[in-house]
Amino acid sequence: MRLIHCDQGSDAWHNARAGVITASMFATARSRVGELTDQQRAYVDSVLAGMAPKAAAEAASYKAVPKSAVIERALAGEPIGEFSEASKNYAFRLAIERISGEPLDEGFETFAMRRGHELEPFARAEHEVQTGLLVKRAGFVLSDCGNYGCSADGFIGEAGGSEYKAFINPEKLRTFHLDNDASEVFEQAQGCMWITGRQWWHIGLYCPALEPAGKQLWWRRFERDEAFIAAMRDDLERFRLMVDGYETKLREPMQEAA
């Protein structure tokens, strides 16, 4: 990895991210449409594991062996579905940034981004108090190839790292605090571990409004999941090829109108 020391939200940070597939956008980059349903996936997984088609159909709650083109492609090991419109738009944006060398939004910072950057030092300090760990400020981390990156809010020792969120949406707060559901940030955590080579990552949700209840920081530790990372890398490489294709197309000379 390559560590770029810069403050998040600074010009240097925005420029470092231009044209780079970032961990916070991995879910968007990987999003697809026309994929297998849960039932189809259960059937395909069973067949690929060696189960007879009829038995696999019964295990997946089918009344008969399912027949569909998408299932046949999955059994043949072919890619299923296609990238979503959000994924394609993100890829096109990255292609433009590669050409210009600058962020397409010219470093525009939303209220949510500004809030997150302003509260990050307080979140880090509270994290240290609650855990007794020393969190070292990091910056923007690039993969060796330069195609992927993540904003690491902190490094912990030689094996860990941290990321802090400052959500104010009550729905998000309830999901974390009451449902203890951190699935929304799982992919970003795994992406950060992949790029930095670290083994575990703390994700913290900081909300100063909950300080009177002593719950201003909700946090969870994520362990490195090699199987998930391998699947994620495969998807991201396919996404990167789409970015490459858009860039190549944009660099082609314009054809004169007939």
Coordinates of all heavy atoms in Angstrom, one line a residue, residues 120-215:
E120 N -14.6 13.8 13.5 CA -13.7 12.7 13.5 C -12.7 12.8 14.7 O -12.5 11.7 15.4 CB -12.9 12.7 12.2 CG -11.9 11.5 12.2 CD -11.0 11.6 11.0 OE1 -11.5 11.9 9.9 OE2 -9.8 11.3 11.1
P121 N -12.1 13.9 15.0 CA -11.2 13.9 16.2 C -11.9 13.6 17.5 O -11.3 12.9 18.4 CB -10.7 15.4 16.2 CG -10.9 15.9 14.8 CD -12.2 15.2 14.3
F122 N -13.1 14.0 17.7 CA -13.9 13.7 18.9 C -14.2 12.2 19.0 O -14.1 11.6 20.0 CB -15.1 14.5 19.0 CG -14.9 16.0 19.0 CD1 -15.0 16.7 17.8 CD2 -14.5 16.7 20.1 CE1 -14.8 18.1 17.8 CE2 -14.3 18.1 20.1 CZ -14.4 18.8 18.9
A123 N -14.6 11.7 17.8 CA -14.9 10.2 17.7 C -13.6 9.4 18.1 O -13.7 8.4 18.8 CB -15.4 9.9 16.4
R124 N -12.5 9.8 17.5 CA -11.2 9.1 17.8 C -10.9 9.2 19.2 O -10.5 8.1 19.8 CB -10.1 9.7 16.9 CG -8.8 8.9 17.0 CD -7.7 9.6 16.3 NE -7.9 9.7 14.9 CZ -8.3 10.7 14.2 NH1 -8.4 11.9 14.8 NH2 -8.5 10.7 12.9
A125 N -11.0 10.3 19.8 CA -10.7 10.5 21.3 C -11.6 9.6 22.1 O -11.1 9.0 23.1 CB -10.8 12.0 21.7
E126 N -12.9 9.6 21.8 CA -13.8 8.8 22.6 C -13.5 7.3 22.4 O -13.6 6.5 23.4 CB -15.3 9.1 22.2 CG -16.3 8.3 22.9 CD -16.3 8.5 24.4 OE1 -16.0 9.7 24.8 OE2 -16.8 7.6 25.2
H127 N -13.1 6.9 21.2 CA -12.8 5.5 20.9 C -11.6 5.1 21.8 O -11.6 4.0 22.3 CB -12.4 5.4 19.4 CG -12.2 4.0 19.0 ND1 -11.4 3.8 17.9 CD2 -12.6 2.8 19.5 CE1 -11.3 2.5 17.7 NE2 -12.0 1.9 18.6
E128 N -10.6 6.0 21.9 CA -9.4 5.7 22.7 C -9.8 5.5 24.2 O -9.3 4.7 24.9 CB -8.4 6.8 22.5 CG -7.7 6.8 21.1 CD -6.7 7.8 21.0 OE1 -6.9 8.9 21.6 OE2 -5.7 7.6 20.3
V129 N -10.7 6.4 24.6 CA -11.1 6.3 26.0 C -11.9 5.0 26.3 O -11.6 4.3 27.3 CB -12.1 7.5 26.4 CG1 -12.7 7.3 27.7 CG2 -11.3 8.8 26.4
Q130 N -12.8 4.6 25.4 CA -13.6 3.4 25.6 C -12.7 2.1 25.5 O -13.0 1.2 26.2 CB -14.7 3.4 24.7 CG -15.8 4.4 24.9 CD -17.1 4.1 24.1 OE1 -17.3 3.0 23.6 NE2 -17.9 5.1 24.0
T131 N -11.8 2.1 24.6 CA -11.0 0.9 24.4 C -9.6 0.8 25.0 O -9.1 -0.3 25.2 CB -10.8 0.7 22.9 OG1 -10.0 1.8 22.4 CG2 -12.2 0.7 22.1
G132 N -9.1 2.0 25.4 CA -7.8 2.0 25.9 C -6.7 1.9 24.9 O -5.5 1.7 25.2
L133 N -7.1 1.9 23.6 CA -6.2 1.8 22.5 C -5.7 3.1 22.0 O -6.3 4.1 22.2 CB -6.9 1.1 21.3 CG -7.4 -0.4 21.6 CD1 -8.3 -0.8 20.4 CD2 -6.2 -1.3 21.7
L134 N -4.5 3.1 21.4 CA -3.9 4.3 20.8 C -4.2 4.3 19.3 O -3.8 3.4 18.6 CB -2.4 4.4 21.1 CG -1.7 5.6 20.4 CD1 -2.2 6.9 21.0 CD2 -0.2 5.5 20.6
V135 N -5.0 5.3 18.9 CA -5.3 5.3 17.4 C -4.5 6.4 16.8 O -4.5 7.6 17.1 CB -6.8 5.7 17.3 CG1 -7.2 5.7 15.8 CG2 -7.7 4.7 18.0
K136 N -3.7 6.0 15.8 CA -2.8 6.9 15.1 C -3.5 7.4 13.8 O -4.0 6.6 13.0 CB -1.5 6.2 14.7 CG -0.5 7.0 14.0 CD 0.8 6.2 13.7 CE 1.8 7.1 13.0 NZ 3.0 6.3 12.6
R137 N -3.5 8.7 13.6 CA -4.1 9.3 12.4 C -3.4 8.7 11.2 O -2.2 8.5 11.2 CB -4.0 10.8 12.5 CG -4.9 11.5 13.5 CD -4.8 13.0 13.4 NE -5.2 13.4 12.0 CZ -5.1 14.7 11.6 NH1 -4.6 15.6 12.4 NH2 -5.6 15.0 10.4
A138 N -4.2 8.5 10.2 CA -3.6 7.9 8.9 C -3.8 8.9 7.8 O -3.1 10.0 7.8 CB -4.3 6.6 8.6
G139 N -4.6 8.7 6.9 CA -4.8 9.5 5.7 C -5.5 8.8 4.6 O -6.4 8.0 4.9
F140 N -5.0 9.0 3.4 CA -5.6 8.2 2.3 C -4.6 7.1 1.9 O -3.4 7.4 1.7 CB -5.9 9.2 1.1 CG -6.7 8.5 0.0 CD1 -8.0 8.2 0.2 CD2 -6.1 8.1 -1.2 CE1 -8.7 7.5 -0.8 CE2 -6.8 7.5 -2.2 CZ -8.1 7.2 -2.0
V141 N -5.1 5.9 1.7 CA -4.3 4.8 1.4 C -4.6 4.3 0.0 O -5.7 4.0 -0.3 CB -4.5 3.6 2.4 CG1 -3.5 2.5 2.2 CG2 -4.3 4.2 3.8
L142 N -3.6 4.1 -0.8 CA -3.7 3.6 -2.2 C -3.1 2.2 -2.2 O -2.2 1.9 -1.6 CB -2.9 4.5 -3.2 CG -3.6 5.7 -3.7 CD1 -2.5 6.5 -4.5 CD2 -4.7 5.4 -4.6
S143 N -3.8 1.4 -3.0 CA -3.2 0.0 -3.3 C -2.0 0.2 -4.1 O -1.7 1.3 -4.7 CB -4.3 -0.8 -4.1 OG -4.6 -0.2 -5.3
D144 N -1.1 -0.8 -4.2 CA 0.1 -0.7 -4.9 C -0.1 -0.4 -6.4 O 0.7 0.4 -7.0 CB 0.9 -2.1 -4.8 CG 1.5 -2.3 -3.4 OD1 1.6 -1.3 -2.7 OD2 1.7 -3.5 -3.1
C145 N -1.2 -0.9 -6.9 CA -1.5 -0.6 -8.4 C -2.1 0.8 -8.6 O -2.1 1.2 -9.7 CB -2.5 -1.7 -8.9 SG -4.1 -1.7 -8.1
G146 N -2.6 1.4 -7.5 CA -3.1 2.7 -7.6 C -4.5 2.8 -8.1 O -5.1 3.9 -8.2
N147 N -5.2 1.7 -8.3 CA -6.6 1.7 -8.8 C -7.6 1.7 -7.6 O -8.7 2.2 -7.9 CB -6.8 0.4 -9.6 CG -6.1 0.3 -10.9 OD1 -6.0 1.3 -11.6 ND2 -5.5 -0.8 -11.2
Y148 N -7.2 1.3 -6.4 CA -8.1 1.3 -5.3 C -7.6 2.1 -4.1 O -6.3 2.2 -4.0 CB -8.3 -0.2 -4.9 CG -8.7 -1.1 -6.0 CD1 -7.8 -1.9 -6.7 CD2 -10.1 -1.1 -6.5 CE1 -8.2 -2.7 -7.8 CE2 -10.5 -1.9 -7.5 CZ -9.5 -2.7 -8.2 OH -9.9 -3.5 -9.2
G149 N -8.5 2.6 -3.3 CA -8.0 3.3 -2.2 C -9.0 3.4 -1.1 O -10.2 3.0 -1.2
C150 N -8.6 3.9 0.1 CA -9.5 4.0 1.2 C -9.0 5.1 2.1 O -7.8 5.4 2.2 CB -9.7 2.7 2.0 SG -8.2 2.3 3.0
S151 N -10.0 5.8 2.8 CA -9.6 6.8 3.7 C -9.6 6.2 5.1 O -10.6 5.8 5.7 CB -10.7 8.0 3.7 OG -10.7 8.6 2.5
A152 N -8.4 6.0 5.6 CA -8.2 5.3 6.9 C -8.2 6.4 8.0 O -7.3 7.2 8.1 CB -6.9 4.5 7.0
D153 N -9.3 6.4 8.9 CA -9.3 7.4 9.9 C -8.3 7.2 11.0 O -7.9 8.1 11.7 CB -10.7 7.4 10.6 CG -11.8 8.0 9.6 OD1 -11.4 8.7 8.7 OD2 -13.0 7.7 9.9
G154 N -7.8 5.9 11.1 CA -6.8 5.6 12.1 C -6.2 4.3 11.9 O -6.8 3.4 11.4
F155 N -4.9 4.1 12.4 CA -4.3 2.8 12.4 C -4.1 2.5 13.9 O -3.8 3.3 14.7 CB -2.9 2.8 11.8 CG -3.0 2.8 10.2 CD1 -1.9 3.3 9.5 CD2 -4.1 2.2 9.6 CE1 -2.0 3.3 8.1 CE2 -4.1 2.2 8.2 CZ -3.1 2.8 7.5
I156 N -4.3 1.2 14.2 CA -4.2 0.8 15.6 C -3.2 -0.4 15.7 O -3.4 -1.5 15.1 CB -5.6 0.3 16.2 CG1 -6.6 1.3 16.0 CG2 -5.4 -0.1 17.6 CD1 -8.0 0.9 16.4
G157 N -2.0 -0.1 16.3 CA -1.0 -1.1 16.3 C -0.5 -1.4 14.9 O -0.5 -0.6 14.0
E158 N -0.1 -2.7 14.7 CA 0.4 -3.1 13.4 C -0.7 -3.9 12.7 O -0.5 -4.2 11.5 CB 1.6 -4.1 13.6 CG 2.8 -3.4 14.3 CD 3.3 -2.2 13.4 OE1 3.3 -2.4 12.2 OE2 3.7 -1.2 14.0
A159 N -1.8 -4.2 13.3 CA -2.8 -5.1 12.7 C -4.2 -4.5 12.5 O -5.0 -5.1 11.8 CB -2.9 -6.4 13.4
G160 N -4.5 -3.4 13.2 CA -5.8 -2.9 13.2 C -6.0 -1.5 12.6 O -5.0 -0.8 12.3
G161 N -7.2 -1.1 12.4 CA -7.5 0.3 11.9 C -8.9 0.7 12.3 O -9.6 -0.1 13.0
S162 N -9.3 1.9 12.0 CA -10.6 2.4 12.4 C -11.2 3.4 11.4 O -10.5 4.0 10.6 CB -10.5 3.1 13.8 OG -9.6 4.3 13.7
E163 N -12.5 3.4 11.4 CA -13.3 4.3 10.6 C -14.4 4.8 11.4 O -15.0 4.1 12.2 CB -13.8 3.5 9.4 CG -14.9 4.3 8.6 CD -14.4 5.4 7.7 OE1 -13.1 5.4 7.5 OE2 -15.1 6.2 7.2
Y164 N -14.7 6.1 11.3 CA -15.7 6.7 12.1 C -16.8 7.4 11.2 O -16.5 8.0 10.2 CB -15.1 7.8 13.1 CG -14.0 7.3 13.9 CD1 -12.7 7.7 13.7 CD2 -14.2 6.4 14.9 CE1 -11.6 7.2 14.4 CE2 -13.2 5.9 15.7 CZ -11.9 6.3 15.4 OH -10.9 5.8 16.2
K165 N -18.1 7.1 11.6 CA -19.2 7.7 10.9 C -19.9 8.7 11.8 O -19.9 8.5 13.1 CB -20.2 6.6 10.5 CG -19.6 5.5 9.6 CD -19.2 6.0 8.2 CE -18.8 4.9 7.3 NZ -18.4 5.4 6.0
A166 N -20.6 9.7 11.3 CA -21.3 10.6 12.1 C -22.7 10.8 11.5 O -23.1 11.9 11.2 CB -20.5 12.0 12.1
F167 N -23.4 9.7 11.4 CA -24.8 9.7 10.9 C -25.7 10.5 11.9 O -25.5 10.5 13.1 CB -25.4 8.3 10.8 CG -24.6 7.4 9.8 CD1 -24.3 6.1 10.1 CD2 -24.2 7.9 8.6 CE1 -23.7 5.3 9.3 CE2 -23.5 7.1 7.7 CZ -23.3 5.8 8.0
I168 N -26.7 11.2 11.3 CA -27.7 11.9 12.1 C -29.1 11.4 11.7 O -30.1 11.7 12.3 CB -27.6 13.4 11.9 CG1 -27.8 13.8 10.4 CG2 -26.4 14.0 12.5 CD1 -27.8 15.3 10.2
N169 N -29.2 10.5 10.6 CA -30.4 9.9 10.2 C -30.9 9.0 11.3 O -30.3 8.0 11.6 CB -30.2 9.2 8.9 CG -31.5 8.6 8.3 OD1 -32.4 8.2 9.1 ND2 -31.7 8.7 7.0
P170 N -32.1 9.2 11.9 CA -32.6 8.4 13.0 C -32.7 6.9 12.6 O -32.5 6.0 13.4 CB -34.0 9.0 13.3 CG -33.9 10.4 12.8 CD -33.0 10.4 11.6
E171 N -33.1 6.7 11.3 CA -33.2 5.3 10.8 C -31.8 4.6 10.9 O -31.7 3.4 11.4 CB -33.7 5.2 9.4 CG -33.9 3.8 8.9 CD -34.3 3.8 7.4 OE1 -34.7 4.9 6.9 OE2 -34.4 2.7 6.8
K172 N -30.8 5.3 10.5 CA -29.4 4.7 10.6 C -29.0 4.5 12.1 O -28.4 3.5 12.5 CB -28.4 5.5 9.9 CG -28.6 5.5 8.4 CD -27.5 6.4 7.7 CE -27.6 6.5 6.2 NZ -27.3 5.2 5.6
L173 N -29.3 5.5 12.9 CA -28.9 5.4 14.3 C -29.6 4.2 15.0 O -29.0 3.5 15.8 CB -29.3 6.7 15.0 CG -28.4 7.9 14.6 CD1 -29.0 9.2 15.2 CD2 -27.0 7.8 15.1
R174 N -30.9 4.1 14.7 CA -31.7 3.0 15.3 C -31.1 1.6 14.8 O -31.0 0.7 15.6 CB -33.2 3.1 14.9 CG -34.0 1.9 15.4 CD -35.5 2.1 15.1 NE -35.7 2.3 13.7 CZ -35.8 1.3 12.8 NH1 -35.6 0.0 13.2 NH2 -36.0 1.5 11.5
T175 N -30.8 1.5 13.5 CA -30.2 0.2 13.0 C -29.0 -0.2 13.8 O -28.8 -1.4 14.1 CB -29.9 0.4 11.5 OG1 -31.1 0.7 10.8 CG2 -29.3 -0.9 11.0
F176 N -28.1 0.8 14.1 CA -26.9 0.4 14.8 C -27.1 0.2 16.3 O -26.7 -0.8 16.9 CB -25.8 1.6 14.6 CG -25.1 1.5 13.3 CD1 -25.7 2.1 12.2 CD2 -23.9 0.9 13.1 CE1 -25.1 2.1 10.9 CE2 -23.2 0.9 11.9 CZ -23.8 1.5 10.8
H177 N -27.8 1.2 16.9 CA -27.9 1.2 18.4 C -28.9 0.1 18.9 O -28.7 -0.5 19.9 CB -28.3 2.6 18.9 CG -27.2 3.5 18.9 ND1 -26.3 3.6 20.0 CD2 -26.8 4.5 18.1 CE1 -25.4 4.5 19.8 NE2 -25.6 5.1 18.6
L178 N -30.0 0.0 18.2 CA -31.1 -0.9 18.7 C -31.0 -2.3 18.1 O -31.1 -3.3 18.8 CB -32.5 -0.3 18.6 CG -32.7 1.0 19.3 CD1 -34.2 1.4 19.2 CD2 -32.4 0.9 20.8
D179 N -30.8 -2.3 16.8 CA -30.8 -3.6 16.1 C -29.3 -4.2 16.1 O -29.2 -5.4 15.7 CB -31.2 -3.4 14.6 CG -32.7 -2.9 14.5 OD1 -33.4 -3.1 15.5 OD2 -33.0 -2.3 13.5
N180 N -28.4 -3.4 16.5 CA -27.0 -3.9 16.5 C -26.6 -4.4 15.1 O -25.8 -5.4 14.9 CB -26.7 -5.0 17.5 CG -25.3 -5.1 17.9 OD1 -24.6 -4.1 18.0 ND2 -24.8 -6.3 18.2
D181 N -27.1 -3.8 14.0 CA -26.9 -4.2 12.7 C -25.9 -3.3 12.0 O -26.1 -2.1 11.8 CB -28.2 -4.2 11.9 CG -28.1 -4.6 10.4 OD1 -26.9 -4.9 10.0 OD2 -29.1 -4.5 9.7
A182 N -24.7 -3.8 11.7 CA -23.6 -3.0 11.1 C -23.4 -3.4 9.6 O -22.3 -3.2 9.1 CB -22.4 -3.1 11.9
S183 N -24.3 -4.1 9.0 CA -24.1 -4.7 7.7 C -23.8 -3.6 6.7 O -23.1 -3.8 5.7 CB -25.3 -5.5 7.3 OG -26.5 -4.7 7.3
E184 N -24.3 -2.4 6.9 CA -24.1 -1.3 6.0 C -22.6 -0.9 5.8 O -22.2 -0.4 4.7 CB -24.9 0.0 6.4 CG -24.7 1.2 5.5 CD -25.6 2.4 5.9 OE1 -26.6 2.1 6.5 OE2 -25.2 3.5 5.5
V185 N -21.8 -1.1 6.8 CA -20.4 -0.7 6.8 C -19.5 -1.9 6.7 O -18.3 -1.8 6.6 CB -20.1 0.1 8.0 CG1 -20.8 1.4 8.1 CG2 -20.3 -0.7 9.3
F186 N -20.1 -3.1 6.6 CA -19.2 -4.3 6.6 C -18.3 -4.3 5.4 O -17.1 -4.6 5.5 CB -20.1 -5.6 6.6 CG -19.3 -6.9 6.4 CD1 -18.7 -7.5 7.5 CD2 -19.2 -7.5 5.2 CE1 -18.0 -8.7 7.4 CE2 -18.5 -8.7 5.1 CZ -17.9 -9.3 6.2
E187 N -18.9 -4.0 4.2 CA -18.1 -4.0 3.0 C -17.0 -3.0 3.0 O -15.8 -3.3 2.6 CB -19.0 -3.8 1.8 CG -18.4 -4.1 0.4 CD -19.5 -4.4 -0.6 OE1 -20.7 -4.3 -0.3 OE2 -19.1 -4.7 -1.7
Q188 N -17.2 -1.8 3.5 CA -16.2 -0.8 3.6 C -15.1 -1.3 4.5 O -13.9 -1.1 4.3 CB -16.8 0.5 4.1 CG -15.7 1.6 4.1 CD -16.3 3.0 4.5 OE1 -17.5 3.1 4.7 NE2 -15.5 4.0 4.5
A189 N -15.5 -1.9 5.7 CA -14.5 -2.4 6.6 C -13.6 -3.4 5.9 O -12.3 -3.4 6.1 CB -15.1 -3.0 7.8
Q190 N -14.2 -4.4 5.2 CA -13.4 -5.4 4.5 C -12.5 -4.8 3.5 O -11.3 -5.2 3.2 CB -14.3 -6.5 3.9 CG -15.1 -7.3 4.9 CD -14.1 -8.1 5.9 OE1 -13.1 -8.5 5.5 NE2 -14.6 -8.2 7.1
G191 N -13.0 -3.7 2.8 CA -12.2 -3.1 1.8 C -11.0 -2.4 2.4 O -9.9 -2.4 1.8
C192 N -11.2 -1.7 3.5 CA -10.1 -1.1 4.2 C -9.0 -2.1 4.6 O -7.8 -1.9 4.5 CB -10.6 -0.3 5.4 SG -11.5 1.2 5.1
M193 N -9.4 -3.3 5.1 CA -8.5 -4.3 5.5 C -7.7 -4.9 4.3 O -6.5 -5.1 4.4 CB -9.2 -5.4 6.3 CG -9.5 -5.0 7.7 SD -10.3 -6.4 8.7 CE -12.1 -6.1 8.2
W194 N -8.4 -5.0 3.2 CA -7.8 -5.5 2.0 C -6.7 -4.6 1.5 O -5.5 -5.0 1.3 CB -8.8 -5.7 0.9 CG -8.2 -5.9 -0.5 CD1 -7.1 -6.7 -0.8 CD2 -8.6 -5.2 -1.7 NE1 -6.9 -6.6 -2.2 CE2 -7.7 -5.7 -2.7 CE3 -9.6 -4.3 -2.0 CZ2 -7.8 -5.2 -4.0 CZ3 -9.7 -3.9 -3.3 CH2 -8.8 -4.3 -4.3
I195 N -7.0 -3.3 1.4 CA -6.1 -2.3 0.9 C -4.9 -2.1 1.8 O -3.7 -1.9 1.4 CB -6.8 -1.0 0.6 CG1 -7.8 -1.2 -0.6 CG2 -5.8 0.1 0.3 CD1 -8.7 0.0 -0.8
T196 N -5.2 -2.0 3.1 CA -4.1 -1.8 4.1 C -3.3 -3.0 4.6 O -2.3 -2.9 5.2 CB -4.7 -1.1 5.4 OG1 -5.6 -2.0 6.0 CG2 -5.4 0.2 5.0
G197 N -3.9 -4.2 4.3 CA -3.3 -5.4 4.7 C -3.5 -5.8 6.2 O -2.8 -6.6 6.7
R198 N -4.4 -5.1 6.8 CA -4.6 -5.3 8.2 C -5.6 -6.4 8.5 O -6.3 -6.8 7.6 CB -5.0 -4.0 8.9 CG -4.0 -2.9 8.6 CD -3.8 -2.0 9.7 NE -2.5 -1.3 9.5 CZ -1.8 -0.7 10.5 NH1 -2.2 -0.8 11.8 NH2 -0.6 -0.2 10.3
Q199 N -5.6 -6.9 9.8 CA -6.4 -8.1 10.1 C -7.7 -7.8 10.8 O -8.6 -8.6 10.8 CB -5.5 -9.0 11.0 CG -4.2 -9.5 10.4 CD -4.5 -10.2 9.1 OE1 -5.3 -11.1 9.1 NE2 -3.8 -9.9 8.1
W200 N -7.9 -6.6 11.3 CA -9.2 -6.2 12.0 C -9.4 -4.7 11.9 O -8.4 -4.0 11.7 CB -9.3 -6.7 13.4 CG -8.1 -6.3 14.3 CD1 -7.0 -7.0 14.5 CD2 -8.0 -5.1 15.1 NE1 -6.2 -6.3 15.4 CE2 -6.8 -5.2 15.8 CE3 -8.8 -4.0 15.3 CZ2 -6.4 -4.2 16.6 CZ3 -8.4 -3.0 16.1 CH2 -7.2 -3.1 16.8
W201 N -10.6 -4.3 12.0 CA -11.0 -2.9 11.8 C -12.2 -2.6 12.7 O -13.1 -3.3 12.9 CB -11.4 -2.7 10.3 CG -11.2 -1.3 9.8 CD1 -12.0 -0.3 9.8 CD2 -9.9 -0.8 9.3 NE1 -11.4 0.8 9.2 CE2 -10.1 0.5 8.9 CE3 -8.7 -1.4 9.0 CZ2 -9.1 1.3 8.3 CZ3 -7.7 -0.7 8.5 CH2 -7.9 0.7 8.1
H202 N -12.0 -1.4 13.4 CA -13.1 -0.9 14.2 C -13.9 0.1 13.4 O -13.3 1.1 12.8 CB -12.6 -0.3 15.4 CG -12.1 -1.2 16.5 ND1 -11.7 -0.8 17.7 CD2 -12.0 -2.6 16.5 CE1 -11.3 -1.9 18.5 NE2 -11.6 -3.0 17.7
I203 N -15.2 0.0 13.4 CA -16.1 0.9 12.8 C -16.9 1.6 13.9 O -17.5 0.9 14.7 CB -17.1 0.3 11.8 CG1 -16.4 -0.3 10.6 CG2 -18.1 1.4 11.3 CD1 -15.8 0.7 9.6
G204 N -16.8 2.9 14.0 CA -17.4 3.6 15.1 C -18.5 4.6 14.6 O -18.3 5.2 13.5
L205 N -19.6 4.6 15.2 CA -20.7 5.5 14.9 C -20.8 6.6 16.0 O -21.1 6.3 17.2 CB -22.0 4.8 14.8 CG -23.3 5.6 14.5 CD1 -23.2 6.3 13.2 CD2 -24.5 4.7 14.6
Y206 N -20.5 7.8 15.7 CA -20.4 8.9 16.7 C -21.6 9.8 16.6 O -21.8 10.4 15.5 CB -19.1 9.7 16.5 CG -18.8 10.7 17.6 CD1 -18.5 10.3 18.9 CD2 -18.9 12.0 17.3 CE1 -18.3 11.2 19.9 CE2 -18.6 13.0 18.3 CZ -18.3 12.5 19.6 OH -18.1 13.5 20.6
C207 N -22.3 10.0 17.7 CA -23.4 10.9 17.7 C -23.4 11.7 19.0 O -23.8 11.2 20.1 CB -24.7 10.2 17.6 SG -26.2 11.2 17.6
P208 N -22.9 13.0 19.0 CA -22.8 13.8 20.2 C -24.1 13.9 21.0 O -24.1 14.1 22.2 CB -22.3 15.1 19.7 CG -21.7 14.8 18.4 CD -22.4 13.7 17.8
A209 N -25.3 13.9 20.3 CA -26.6 14.1 20.9 C -26.9 13.0 21.9 O -27.7 13.2 22.8 CB -27.7 14.1 19.8
L210 N -26.2 11.8 21.8 CA -26.4 10.7 22.7 C -25.5 10.7 23.9 O -25.5 9.8 24.7 CB -26.3 9.4 22.0 CG -27.5 9.1 21.0 CD1 -27.2 7.8 20.2 CD2 -28.8 9.0 21.8
E211 N -24.7 11.8 24.0 CA -23.7 11.8 25.2 C -24.4 11.8 26.5 O -23.9 11.2 27.5 CB -22.8 13.1 25.0 CG -21.7 13.1 26.1 CD -20.7 14.2 25.8 OE1 -20.9 14.9 24.8 OE2 -19.8 14.4 26.6
P212 N -25.5 12.5 26.7 CA -26.2 12.4 28.0 C -26.5 11.0 28.5 O -26.7 10.7 29.7 CB -27.5 13.3 27.8 CG -27.1 14.2 26.8 CD -26.2 13.5 25.8
A213 N -26.7 10.1 27.5 CA -27.0 8.7 27.8 C -25.7 7.9 27.8 O -25.8 6.6 28.1 CB -28.0 8.1 26.8
G214 N -24.6 8.5 27.6 CA -23.3 7.8 27.6 C -23.2 6.9 26.4 O -22.4 5.9 26.4
K215 N -23.9 7.2 25.3 CA -23.8 6.3 24.1 C -23.5 7.1 22.9 O -23.9 6.9 21.8 CB -25.2 5.6 23.9 CG -25.5 4.6 25.0 CD -26.8 3.9 24.7 CE -27.1 2.9 25.8 NZ -28.4 2.2 25.5

